[in-house]
Amino acid sequence: MPNAPPADRPPSNRLVVAIAYDGLCTFEFGVAAEMFALPRPEMGSDWYRFAVAGIDAGEMRAMGGVRIVADGGPDLIGEAGTVIVPGWRGVDCPVPPLLIEALRAASERGARILSICSGVFVLAAAGLLSGKKATTHWRYSDRLREMYPDITVVPDVLYIDEGNVLTSAGSAAGIDLCLHLVRRDFGTKAANMVARRLVVPPHRDGGQAQYVESSVPEPHERGRLGPLIDRMRADIAADYPVAALADLAGMSERTFLRRFAAATGVTPARWLLSERLSRARTLLEDTALPIERIAETAGFGAAATLRHHFRRQFATTPAAYRARFGTNANSA
């Protein structure tokens, strides 16, 4: 999840370049194009520009029978402020030296390099992840760890932000990562507007572990856990001991913890913390409430507790977050 603090301003170089290659992962490429190539006049004149750099000569094939002719070759990477590697044609397929050199040069001059799903293997081959944390699709995590032991592979998150190098998990997690970058560059409200047009959540809590075995609870679990989760959201500041939650769900504590984790991907405590942080962010953005009051309303009790969790999760303070993203910044 996010490690880097929000940027103070959008990047000076707004050019986003997506890599195209023979055997292109169509969905992942489509995520990059939808996020950064689609005209968004409501965002003003400072929005991103977009281009495609083909690393294979001539017409390239994409999954699904699509053929692509790129805007240019690897030289385009040298002009980019942000480079996106939308998947890769195979985890064991070698990465062309020309692409490795272009990515290294782009990283050295400060460009941001993003990977979606198996695109992490391209970043790893270029040495951009050495000594860093990274994620990828859960199916490829072990292989990435075996091939590149100098990378700390985190298999249970949707994306990781290491500053100028960012990686995402499976294909759809590319949407989460791209929205995170928009949030970093232009703020929460801009990211929310983009998410609204895409009809997706502006921020998904939890990690990819919740999708590994079964992402949809059995019907009888939905009937018992769904109302319970709704109740917790409606009164997020209340205390929720596991024993009380299990009793409300009509389960033993052990069964409840197992079923809750299967349904949400996290423990009740982790779920509550995530929901409370989300409520606090909304209140910081949209209200003039004092920090102490926000801490109470969101279920943290005291401002010091809110500050602790906020700094740990977002690498910033509630006051700094409000100053960056709030509509009533003068009340922090």
Side-chain angles (χ1 to χ4, degrees):
M1 302 310 253
N3 294 327
D8 290 335
R9 63 180 66 87
S12 56
N13 185 346
R14 308 287 213 283
L15 178 62
V16 177
V17 171
I19 304 301
Y21 50 88
D22 195 51
L24 179 66
C25 297
T26 308
F27 180 86
E28 288 86 341
F29 178 81
V31 168
E34 178 73 21
M35 284 288 182
F36 302 110
L38 190 70
R40 299 186 187 277
E42 70 275 15
M43 296 300 186
S45 59
D46 290 335
W47 195 243
Y48 304 100
R49 296 179 293 118
F50 186 81
V52 180
I55 63 168
D56 295 310
E59 189 178 73
M60 292 165 287
R61 296 166 297 172
M63 294 296 294
V66 179
R67 294 184 179 271
I68 291 179
V69 177
D71 296 316
D75 55 299
L76 270 176
I77 298 173
E79 303 175 18
T82 302
V83 181
I84 300 179
V85 183
W88 188 236
R89 46 195 167 208
V91 298
D92 294 309
C93 289
V95 181
L98 189 62
L99 177 56
I100 288 177
E101 294 172 9
L103 290 176
R104 286 176 177 170
S107 181
E108 287 172 3
R109 64 174 172 76
R112 303 176 302 189
I113 318 293
L114 282 69
S115 68
I116 300 176
C117 197
S118 57
V120 71
F121 288 89
V122 176
L123 274 60
L128 302 182
L129 294 171
S130 181
K132 292 182 169 62
K133 295 179 182 179
T135 193
T136 186
H137 193 288
W138 56 267
R139 292 180 59 194
Y140 305 138
S141 294
D142 290 342
R143 185 64 176 144
L144 181 64
R145 191 179 290 109
E146 291 169 4
M147 292 176 67
Y148 301 98
D150 59 337
I151 298 173
T152 301
V153 179
V154 185
D156 58 350
V157 297
L158 296 176
Y159 60 86
I160 289 178
D161 181 344
E162 286 277 31
N164 277 5
V165 182
L166 304 91
T167 56
S168 72
S171 303
I175 299 174
D176 298 277
L177 177 57
C178 291
L179 282 172
H180 167 69
L181 190 66
V182 172
R183 192 179 299 112
R184 253 180 67 174
D185 289 347
F186 293 96
T188 300
K189 293 190 184 302
N192 289 349
M193 289 175 66
V194 174
R196 191 175 300 116
R197 283 193 60 179
L198 289 169
V199 198
V200 298
H203 177 75
R204 284 196 293 168
D205 294 314
Q208 62 174 318
Q210 62 189 296
Y211 305 106
V212 173
E213 294 183 0
S214 176
S215 61
V216 180
E218 295 296 324
H220 65 281
E221 301 299 347
R222 289 200 302 269
R224 287 194 282 182
L225 292 180
L228 177 61
I229 287 174
D230 289 342
R231 177 173 176 170
M232 293 163 73
R233 280 202 178 106
D235 189 8
I236 200 68
D239 289 331
Y240 293 103
V242 170
L245 291 173
D247 186 60
L248 288 169
M251 304 176 189
S252 69
E253 291 185 33
R254 185 175 179 180
T255 298
F256 170 74
L257 289 171
R258 185 175 67 252
R259 302 281 173 79
F260 192 93
T264 66
V266 292
T267 64
R270 286 282 301 275
W271 184 91
L272 270 170
L273 176 60
S274 180
E275 289 290 318
R276 286 169 173 167
L277 284 169
S278 179
R279 184 70 57 85
R281 289 203 305 177
T282 299
L283 292 171
L284 288 166
E285 293 167 20
D286 297 338
T287 77
L289 289 173
I291 300 296
E292 188 71 41
R293 180 60 179 151
I294 288 176
E296 295 171 0
T297 303
F300 290 98
T305 305
L306 172 60
R307 292 188 184 100
H308 166 76
H309 288 293
F310 216 86
R311 184 179 290 279
R312 187 172 182 179
Q313 180 69 19
F314 305 121
T316 189
T317 64
Y321 183 89
R322 170 175 271 171
R324 175 72 175 89
F325 299 122
T327 55
N328 297 282
N330 60 344
S331 301

